[in-house]
Amino acid sequence: MATQTAPTRARPASDPSRSPRRVGFSQRLGKWDVKLSPYLYISPFFIIFAITGLFPLIYTGWVSLHDWDLLGGQGDFVGFENFTQVLGQAYFWKALRNTISIFLWSSVPQVIAAIVIAAMLDANLRAKTFWRMGVLLPYVVAPVAVALVFSKMFADDSGLINTVLENIGLSPVGWHSEAMPAHVAIATMVNFRWTGYNTLIFLAAMQAIPRDLYEAAVIDGASRWRQFISITIPMLRPTIIFVVLTSTIGGLQIYDEPRMYDQMGQGGNDRQWLTVTLYLYELGWRNTNLGRAAAVAWLLFMIIVVFAVANYLITRRIASDSAPKQRRVAGRNPR
């Protein structure tokens, strides 16, 4: 039986004299909008950053290469002479040691306390909003007010801390006269202000962890401590890296607390709590030598970059080394 095929429709021959259709201006404008609009949306940030961040950084580097006076203005080009003179000053190295000491006393306990408090706030508590707002209250207080109150509490003669120590039979501590107690006192101010702020950051990260992981751990019989070590901490690694980096940058730039720790604002009689920013302020404002002050600012910038990169590499190394252990723990029943 022969099959009958449907007739095919012949395609019209293309007219060679017909010109191709041109893309209209509205269509080209639409393509430009798709390609350029994302860059236009984010451009205000980069424009403001270039004006308020990048330009002052470059201009400070230009000032550091000149003999620049606060009143006289720009002087002769001296190259790296300001850097060599600053590095040859004993006060700079003392300020750097004090800054690193205060940074360690503040950042390390601050991150640990913030993680612990965030874990407590993430639990089933009554009045969660009240407690979460309560941990942020110290951050709202002005740093000058915090420094004034804590400087009175840590006074050597009649301070609250020494009074309590004497009442329990301990000898008073020279919170202002000795270097290490002064560092601890200033670090306490920093921890008081910033622990609550970092706590909310960790709390937001904890709430983003899938609850199915905790439910599976409970079914397997994992304790709260095992859940915290095997689930919460590994899932918080990106947030921990972020908080460590921001704490490093802020801790090495500390100024308000040591500046207001006594009435003189010079870092103590023996400069026992002199920081790099206080030394920068003394060179630029009191000694009117903006060239050396700009050199100190650039040295501090490079130190912060080195510490930030080192912290990032260390935290990434710890995360990569603990990943196989995390997989092994997840593969068996955590008891």
Side-chain angles (χ1 to χ4, degrees), residues 14 44 87 98 128 140 165 200 247 294 296 323:
S14 59
L87 293 175
N98 295 338
K128 292 183 178 180
V140 180
L165 292 177
L200 294 185
S247 300
V296 174

Side-chain angles (χ1 to χ4, degrees), residues 14-19:
S14 59
D15 188 2
S17 62
R18 184 180 180 183
S19 61

Side-chain angles (χ1 to χ4, degrees), residues 60-109:
T60 302
W62 174 258
V63 173
S64 66
L65 301 177
H66 292 77
D67 186 11
W68 206 296
D69 188 76
L70 179 62
L71 301 178
Q74 181 178 353
D76 298 332
F77 179 82
V78 296
F80 293 97
E81 182 180 349
N82 289 324
F83 290 90
T84 56
Q85 290 181 356
V86 167
L87 293 175
Q89 296 291 328
Y91 277 158
F92 172 77
W93 296 106
K94 178 178 285 189
L96 182 60
R97 289 194 299 268
N98 295 338
T99 302
I100 295 176
S101 176
I102 296 173
F103 155 70
L104 293 176
W105 278 107
S106 59
S107 297
V108 176

Side-chain angles (χ1 to χ4, degrees), residues 262-295:
D262 65 348
Q263 297 179 356
M264 301 301 295
Q266 297 181 355
N269 297 328
D270 196 23
R271 307 301 176 92
Q272 57 267 27
W273 67 83
L274 176 71
T275 60
V276 177
T277 53
L278 278 179
Y279 182 63
L280 187 155
Y281 170 79
E282 182 177 350
L283 287 177
W285 183 253
R286 294 179 178 173
N287 298 340
T288 68
N289 195 332
L290 292 184
R292 294 186 185 179

Side-chain angles (χ1 to χ4, degrees), residues 104-147:
L104 293 176
W105 278 107
S106 59
S107 297
V108 176
Q110 182 184 138
V111 173
I112 296 174
I115 294 176
V116 174
I117 297 174
M120 296 173 62
L121 294 177
D122 192 37
N124 293 325
L125 297 176
R126 295 182 179 179
K128 292 183 178 180
T129 306
F130 171 77
W131 295 111
R132 293 171 183 176
M133 292 297 296
V135 298
L136 193 61
L137 287 179
Y139 176 73
V140 180
V141 182
V144 176
V146 174

Side-chain angles (χ1 to χ4, degrees), residues 90-218:
Y91 277 158
F92 172 77
W93 296 106
K94 178 178 285 189
L96 182 60
R97 289 194 299 268
N98 295 338
T99 302
I100 295 176
S101 176
I102 296 173
F103 155 70
L104 293 176
W105 278 107
S106 59
S107 297
V108 176
Q110 182 184 138
V111 173
I112 296 174
I115 294 176
V116 174
I117 297 174
M120 296 173 62
L121 294 177
D122 192 37
N124 293 325
L125 297 176
R126 295 182 179 179
K128 292 183 178 180
T129 306
F130 171 77
W131 295 111
R132 293 171 183 176
M133 292 297 296
V135 298
L136 193 61
L137 287 179
Y139 176 73
V140 180
V141 182
V144 176
V146 174
L148 290 175
V149 172
F150 274 77
S151 62
K152 298 299 181 182
M153 292 176 56
F154 287 97
D156 293 344
D157 298 331
S158 59
L160 176 62
I161 306 299
N162 280 341
T163 301
V164 173
L165 292 177
E166 291 177 354
N167 290 335
I168 61 177
L170 299 178
S171 59
V173 179
W175 299 107
H176 284 74
S177 59
E178 301 177 14
M180 191 55 63
H183 298 174
V184 174
I186 295 174
T188 304
M189 305 180 200
V190 179
N191 294 332
F192 174 78
R193 290 194 65 242
W194 289 97
T195 300
Y197 177 83
N198 292 328
T199 297
L200 294 185
I201 296 178
F202 285 123
L203 178 61
M206 288 180 184
Q207 291 180 343
I209 299 175
R211 297 299 168 180
D212 298 339
L213 300 177
Y214 293 102
E215 293 176 359
V218 171

